[in-house]
Amino acid sequence: MSAFLDAALSALLLLALTVSSVVLCVPQLVRLVKVGHPAGLSGTALLFGTVNYTAWSGYLAWEHAWGLLAANLVASLVWYAIVALALPQIAPKRSWWLPVGWAATLGLLAVVDLALLGPILGLGSLLTYTPQAVGVWRVISLAAVSPATWALTAVEGFTWLLQSAKDQLAGGIVSGGIATAAAISVLTALLIRGAAAGGSPDQPPVDDDADALTPTPSVATAA
């Protein structure tokens, strides 16, 4: 009976993770199309996310984790669409060299020892989520930030954390914990600053990448 319950729990967690991964970025894409500008979104976070989604796909394929790979590939397509719409409207900043350096580091690591890619990608979630988790406390407008996407991020991160702890996967534990903390930061900012920083659909985009990776006293630690 214990083995049956264990298998059922794993199936439920995988289902929740798959569904949340697939629909995670859809509300953000819809929001971006609706408002027509990327105000509140971090270009640095978008680039780091692109690198990490791509690297996770390669790693999951190498591990023959086909279920997770399928979910990641679909989520990646939605993410790539967001990047394609938002990035051309965000002015380049010096911090953009960091995602390029991260991509080169992961490429080198894959050549040297592919087995280490998972744990390093777990830590790399900091690079994806920190700019957005910090940026929401610094920018003028949060009009383009989707609460639904970050609520789903919290679900996905916590589910990933539980499943990884069950399977004793260090990289997944780290990645899930980081995603959960980042989602809490963004949702809290939307709750506290929503009325004052919600912006309007006609508000021009605001680029927060100049100091996107510099923590402020407002937050402890994406998208």
Side-chain angles (χ1 to χ4, degrees):
M1 186 64 177
S2 177
F4 174 78
L5 291 177
D6 186 67
L9 177 60
S10 293
L12 287 174
L13 288 175
L14 184 58
L15 177 62
L17 182 59
T18 301
V19 172
S20 60
S21 296
V22 170
V23 302
L24 175 65
C25 296
V26 172
Q28 181 63 76
L29 179 59
V30 173
R31 179 86 170 186
L32 183 57
V33 171
K34 180 179 179 180
V35 302
H37 60 75
L41 297 182
S42 167
T44 304
L46 290 173
L47 288 174
F48 272 124
T50 300
V51 173
N52 281 355
Y53 266 117
T54 304
W56 272 114
S57 292
Y59 178 73
L60 292 171
W62 180 72
E63 288 282 8
H64 299 147
W66 306 122
L68 289 175
L69 176 61
N72 190 73
L73 286 174
V74 176
S76 297
L77 292 177
V78 182
W79 183 272
Y80 296 155
I82 293 172
V83 172
L85 288 174
L87 216 54
Q89 301 184 60
I90 301 177
K93 294 292 182 180
R94 287 176 297 178
S95 58
W96 284 31
W97 66 267
L98 292 170
V100 176
W102 177 240
T105 299
L106 291 178
L108 179 62
L109 182 64
V111 172
V112 174
D113 190 350
L114 193 56
L116 293 176
L117 191 57
I120 296 301
L121 276 172
L123 290 173
S125 296
L126 281 171
L127 303 176
T128 299
Y129 291 111
T130 299
Q132 193 66 64
V134 172
V136 290
W137 296 94
R138 304 174 66 112
V139 296
I140 297 173
S141 172
L142 299 177
V145 180
S146 168
T149 282
W150 284 98
L152 288 168
T153 299
V155 172
E156 183 197 39
F158 189 63
T159 305
W160 188 277
L161 177 63
L162 290 178
Q163 183 62 45
S164 297
K166 184 175 177 297
D167 295 340
Q168 299 182 338
L169 299 175
I173 293 172
V174 173
S175 182
I178 291 170
T180 303
I184 291 173
S185 174
V186 173
L187 291 172
T188 301
L190 288 170
L191 180 65
I192 294 175
R193 304 184 62 221
S200 66
D202 297 326
Q203 185 166 349
V206 177
D207 179 30
D208 62 315
D209 281 342
D211 299 303
L213 293 178
T214 305
T216 68
S218 302
V219 291
T221 179

